[in-house]
Amino acid sequence: AIRMTQSPSSLSASTGDRVTITCRASQGISSYLAWYQQKPGKAPKLLIYAASTLQSGVPSRFSGSGSGTDFTLTISCLQSEDFATYYCQQYYSYPRTFGQGTKLEIK
Amino acid sequence: EVQLVESGGGLVKPGGSLRLSCAASGFTFSSYSMNWVRQAPGKGLEWVSSISSSSSYIYYADSVKGRFTISRDNAKNSLYLQMNSLRAEDTAVYYCARDSADSCPPDYWGQGTLVTVSS
């Protein structure tokens, strides 16, 4: 199975900050990488697919990049509603593995 | 509006069985692959199983292979997960999720149903 490793596991930031979360795959997955946002007690929400394509309705302050094994999610100007946990997921092959998550907290 | 509504969760003893259902509406269910994803309390997301639109292709996580069975009824717009030989480590919220398209990740998720395996 492809292992997905996110860093950092947690991150403290302030409204208006720019933050970057990284996700590394244990083998190449081309651009078959998605990013999700999850708030407590809620289902995950798809933010980005194909490594860099913004899902419809997602604010443009979210962006993704990378291919192969290394990927990043960037939030350019943090808003209060962005404090949540973020997960990457590869859908290159089954099992479709997730990263362990990055909890973004208010500083 | 796309809606996915899970049901069937509850408390079950180790070794017991449970069948989860996911009722889909607002889209042509028979055209989409579907998934089950779970989340243990306080933990991250774990993909469990996927089924193609016509049930031709089915995949399982190693952690549930041989114990869980995914199925669907396109006439009833419903997805199922039959869970047998349940273990404490299967305790989680189970989400059903729709793939956005072939070879694409899930774009719509249900609200989840809690399965608790405990004596």
Side-chain angles (χ1 to χ4, degrees):
Chain A
I2 298 173
R3 186 172 63 253
M4 306 301 292
T5 305
Q6 283 181 238
S7 61
S9 296
S10 63
L11 177 59
S12 294
S14 302
T15 304
D17 284 353
R18 176 187 178 94
V19 299
T20 297
I21 298 168
T22 66
C23 180
R24 174 165 287 177
S26 61
Q27 65 187 74
I29 59 169
S30 185
S31 295
Y32 291 88
L33 192 282
W35 289 97
Y36 296 90
Q37 176 194 67
Q38 188 181 34
K39 296 182 179 179
K42 300 294 187 182
K45 173 187 175 183
L46 178 64
L47 298 175
I48 287 170
Y49 62 95
S52 60
T53 303
L54 209 61
Q55 174 71 353
S56 175
V58 174
S60 59
R61 62 181 180 272
F62 291 91
S63 64
S65 66
S67 68
T69 60
D70 294 311
F71 303 87
T72 60
L73 171 69
T74 299
I75 311 172
S76 61
C77 182
L78 273 173
Q79 302 298 297
S80 56
E81 60 266 31
D82 300 335
F83 291 96
T85 301
Y86 293 84
Y87 295 92
C88 61
Q89 183 198 26
Q90 66 81 17
Y91 53 99
Y92 176 80
S93 68
Y94 289 95
R96 286 179 164 184
T97 40
F98 288 90
Q100 81 277 15
T102 295
K103 187 173 184 179
L104 179 54
E105 299 174 302
I106 300 173
K107 185 183 287 184
Chain B
E1 178 194 4
V2 172
Q3 282 200 312
L4 298 170
V5 180
E6 301 94 338
S7 60
L11 176 63
V12 61
K13 289 182 168 53
S17 298
L18 214 53
R19 189 196 197 204
L20 305 184
S21 299
C22 173
S25 61
F27 66 102
T28 304
F29 180 73
S30 59
S31 297
Y32 290 84
S33 295
M34 298 293 295
N35 308 269
W36 288 100
V37 175
R38 69 184 180 183
Q39 186 168 37
K43 302 297 185 183
L45 300 170
E46 180 186 15
W47 171 83
V48 173
S49 182
S50 297
I51 185 168
S52 63
S53 58
S54 61
S55 305
S56 298
Y57 300 97
I58 288 175
Y59 305 92
Y60 297 101
D62 285 347
S63 58
V64 307
K65 200 172 295 182
R67 301 186 300 123
F68 290 11
T69 302
I70 192 172
S71 63
R72 63 190 297 161
D73 186 335
N74 287 343
K76 294 183 177 179
N77 292 337
S78 292
L79 175 72
Y80 306 102
L81 186 68
Q82 177 67 43
M83 304 186 296
N84 298 331
S85 303
L86 282 162
R87 306 166 180 167
E89 54 265 36
D90 295 319
T91 295
V93 173
Y94 285 74
Y95 296 100
C96 75
R98 183 194 85 164
D99 275 356
S100 53
D102 285 346
S103 300
C104 286
D107 58 350
Y108 284 94
W109 298 60
Q111 84 289 349
T113 187
L114 176 62
V115 173
T116 303
V117 183
S118 175
S119 55

